[in-house]
Amino acid sequence: MIADGSPLERVVVLGKGRLGTALTSALMACEVAASARSGRQTLAEGLPADDADAASVVILAVADGAIQPLAESLARSLSFGARAIVLHCSGVLDVSALESLHRQGCAVGSFHPLQTFPDKTERPAAFRGVTFGIEGDLEARAMARKLADRLEGFAVEIHPGTKALYHLAAVLAGNGAVGLIGAARDAMTAAGFERGQALAALGPLVLTSIEGALSRGPEAALSGPVSRGDDATLERHRAALRQWDPERLPLYEALVREQERLVASLRSTTGSC
């Protein structure tokens, strides 16, 4: 088995999609002997003998639904045995998706980068400063930390049984923010802006708000009618939504409630009335 202080001898990344491509390229750029292989091909044919014999670490960078079948396929044709550490990159699935490999003696875990890869990229520094959510066996976690360090990222252990909650947080911050920008753009275009103009106009506001929330905390960065207790403006918003797109009213109300929680939290912390 591989001790935490030993070198990374050979990493095989299964998956040639956006994440697999970025991960393989970044590992190679930091002098890790990494190679990529199609997840579908591996599922159908197994790992070539050269890869299976030499692999220190196998990373499953495939779609969530493919992880368990691929792990079971590897377990059936296993030749690297207990010498390999196997990690998957799912944000929502925990280490149990690799149980078939664990039963074969492999150390198993998960290694999820908190980053989006909308396009295939081979940027060497694609993971610099990125946090990886990790969990699994002790040895797998140690290897995940080593990989994150080699990629100039950060590894944080996720509490057992909370993987779905962790992924929810990531989706709210990433995909949820994109959805909100889409809704804001649509409202701006309904008010007379071109789509490109709307995004350009919203950009400085969005970036300043996010930067403030991340640097000072969302409670301190909150501004606008909810923070001021301006109920009259909130009612004008609701009236405008009912006229323009009533289906989006629940989204607005949910966001108002979240802002009200921030206001209440700030007041409880500062003792303000």
Side-chain angles (χ1 to χ4, degrees):
M1 304 292 279
I2 299 170
D4 184 37
S6 66
L8 291 167
E9 298 169 9
R10 175 78 178 275
V11 177
V12 176
V13 178
L14 300 183
K16 289 188 172 182
R18 293 172 293 182
L19 176 56
T21 298
L23 187 56
T24 305
S25 175
L27 286 169
M28 292 174 65
C30 55
E31 300 183 349
V32 173
S35 61
R37 180 173 169 80
S38 164
R40 289 189 181 92
Q41 186 177 1
T42 303
L43 181 60
E45 304 172 5
L47 274 179
D50 289 348
D51 281 342
D53 291 340
S56 316
V57 185
V58 178
I59 301 177
L60 277 58
V62 296
D64 289 354
I67 289 174
Q68 187 169 334
L70 182 54
E72 291 171 351
S73 175
L74 289 173
R76 287 193 296 270
S77 60
L78 202 59
S79 61
F80 47 76
R83 293 183 295 108
I85 293 174
V86 184
L87 304 170
H88 72 66
C89 295
S90 170
V92 71
L93 298 179
D94 62 20
V95 69
S96 64
L98 303 178
E99 178 58 29
S100 56
L101 286 162
H102 187 257
R103 289 196 299 268
Q104 295 290 340
C106 292
V108 295
S110 65
F111 179 67
H112 175 255
L114 274 166
Q115 181 58 288
T116 182
F117 296 91
D119 302 299
K120 279 194 176 184
T121 178
E122 296 185 359
R123 289 184 294 110
F127 297 90
R128 183 175 296 162
V130 171
T131 293
F132 291 82
I134 67 170
E135 47 97 44
D137 299 339
L138 179 62
E139 190 171 10
R141 297 198 310 271
M143 179 55 70
R145 288 185 180 280
K146 179 183 290 187
L147 288 167
D149 183 66
R150 192 68 67 89
L151 293 166
E152 299 185 61
F154 308 94
V156 178
E157 290 191 21
I158 302 167
H159 293 319
T162 65
K163 194 72 182 289
L165 188 62
Y166 154 85
H167 193 246
L168 166 66
V171 169
L172 283 174
N175 309 126
V178 171
L180 285 176
I181 291 171
R185 177 204 61 192
D186 293 349
M188 290 283 274
T189 57
F193 284 68
E194 299 293 333
R195 288 165 69 94
Q197 285 179 321
L199 291 173
L202 290 166
L205 173 62
V206 171
L207 293 175
T208 300
S209 298
I210 290 175
E211 288 170 0
L214 293 176
S215 63
R216 294 155 46 213
E219 293 85 357
L222 185 65
S223 62
V226 175
S227 67
R228 297 192 301 267
D230 186 353
D231 292 336
T233 293
L234 297 180
E235 285 305 315
R236 289 188 178 93
H237 290 172
R238 293 181 176 107
L241 262 173
R242 292 187 189 99
Q243 182 176 0
W244 169 58
D245 189 350
E247 290 186 358
R248 280 174 160 141
L249 188 57
L251 171 64
Y252 182 78
E253 297 294 2
L255 290 170
V256 167
R257 288 192 295 272
E258 289 304 316
Q259 292 173 79
E260 288 172 343
R261 287 189 180 96
L262 293 176
V263 171
S265 175
L266 182 62
R267 287 175 176 169
S268 67
T269 301
T270 61
S272 302
C273 299

